[in-house]
């Protein structure tokens, strides 16, 4: 059994076999190649290419209050709750929970991943920031103790650049952060 469903100019085919198992097929645009090896490509994929396939901007996410916007940003499995929420263009927020905050303002061309923040007056991220929290394990004297580290840099930073004072996030010296 094959049925075709039109969604905004794109056709999705739903197929099912005799056991009733369904398979959804999304036809790709033949000339579109998606590579997400860099931060810029990652933001392009979620903010620009997702709408081409009729995927929603918010995937398993809550943003409250939700303001009508034409901004190109993407929320993936995230919760943003505040009195005021603003997310600018080409920003990807994934697996974040920023809750019980008075004001959330996230600039353009940002990637936020695995950020947890509960309570506070404001959470403001300037343009061009990549911020990710990772779980790390201490293998030294205090073995098997887990902790967390949050890394911050700019999506366009050159990590192959060497020198005495590497700069991140558009000119901030790494020694100023550590």
């Amino acid at each position: 059994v094959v049925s075709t469903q039109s969604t905004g100019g794109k056709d999705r085919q739903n197929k099912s076999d005799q056991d009733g198992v369904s398979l959804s097929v999304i036809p790709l645009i033949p000339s579109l190649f998606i590579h997400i090896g860099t931060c810029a490509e990652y933001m392009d994929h979620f903010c620009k290419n997702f709408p081409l396939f009729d995927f929603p901007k918010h995937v398993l996410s809550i943003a409250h209050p939700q303001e009508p916007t034409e901004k190109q940003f993407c929320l993936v499995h995230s919760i943003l709750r505040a009195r005021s929420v603003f997310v600018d263009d080409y920003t990807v927020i994934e697996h974040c929970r920023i809750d019980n905050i008075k004001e959330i303002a996230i600039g353009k061309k940002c990637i936020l991943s695995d950020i947890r923040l509960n309570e506070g007056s404001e959470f403001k991220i300037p343009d061009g920031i990549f911020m990710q929290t990772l779980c790390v394990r201490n293998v030294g004297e205090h073995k098997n103790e887990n902790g967390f580290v949050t890394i911050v840099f700019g999506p366009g930073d050159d990590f192959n650049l060497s020198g005495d004072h590497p700069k991140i996030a558009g000119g901030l010296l790494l020694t100023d952060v550590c």
Side-chain angles (χ1 to χ4, degrees), residues 5-155:
Q5 173 186 4
S6 181
T7 55
K10 312 286 185 287
D11 290 334
R12 292 186 181 172
Q13 293 182 350
N14 296 317
K15 298 181 180 187
S16 61
D17 63 14
Q18 293 186 1
D19 294 330
V21 177
S22 67
L23 170 68
S24 294
V25 178
I26 302 172
L28 296 176
I29 300 169
S31 63
L32 181 64
F33 174 74
I34 298 172
H35 181 266
I36 54 172
T38 67
C39 290
E41 291 168 339
Y42 190 77
M43 289 183 282
D44 260 356
H45 175 63
F46 281 104
C47 299
K48 182 180 171 186
N49 295 332
F50 253 32
L52 294 176
F53 299 120
D54 292 324
F55 288 115
K57 291 192 301 186
H58 297 61
V59 180
L60 299 173
S61 296
I62 297 169
H64 183 74
Q66 173 87 26
E67 304 209 11
T69 181
E70 294 300 317
K71 300 280 186 191
Q72 289 184 310
F73 66 92
C74 187
L75 295 175
V76 179
H77 202 261
S78 295
I79 296 173
L80 304 178
R81 279 189 243 194
R83 289 185 192 159
S84 170
V85 176
F86 175 79
V87 180
D88 212 338
D89 279 328
Y90 268 65
T91 290
V92 177
I93 301 170
E94 59 181 14
H95 310 289
C96 292
R97 184 180 183 120
I98 304 168
D99 203 358
N100 200 21
I101 307 294
K102 290 182 183 173
E103 179 184 4
I104 298 171
I106 302 168
K108 61 179 83 167
K109 294 186 177 181
C110 292
I111 299 173
L112 302 182
S113 183
D114 298 308
I115 304 298
R116 303 285 184 269
L117 185 61
N118 188 19
E119 293 187 26
S121 60
E122 57 186 36
F123 180 74
K124 293 184 179 183
I125 301 294
D127 294 351
I129 294 294
F130 179 108
M131 180 184 291
Q132 181 178 25
T133 300
L134 303 168
C135 181
V136 293
R137 178 175 294 221
N138 188 345
V139 294
E141 182 179 322
H142 305 285
K143 284 188 176 184
N144 297 325
E145 286 186 11
N146 293 334
F148 296 92
V149 62
T150 299
I151 57 171
V152 179
F153 57 88

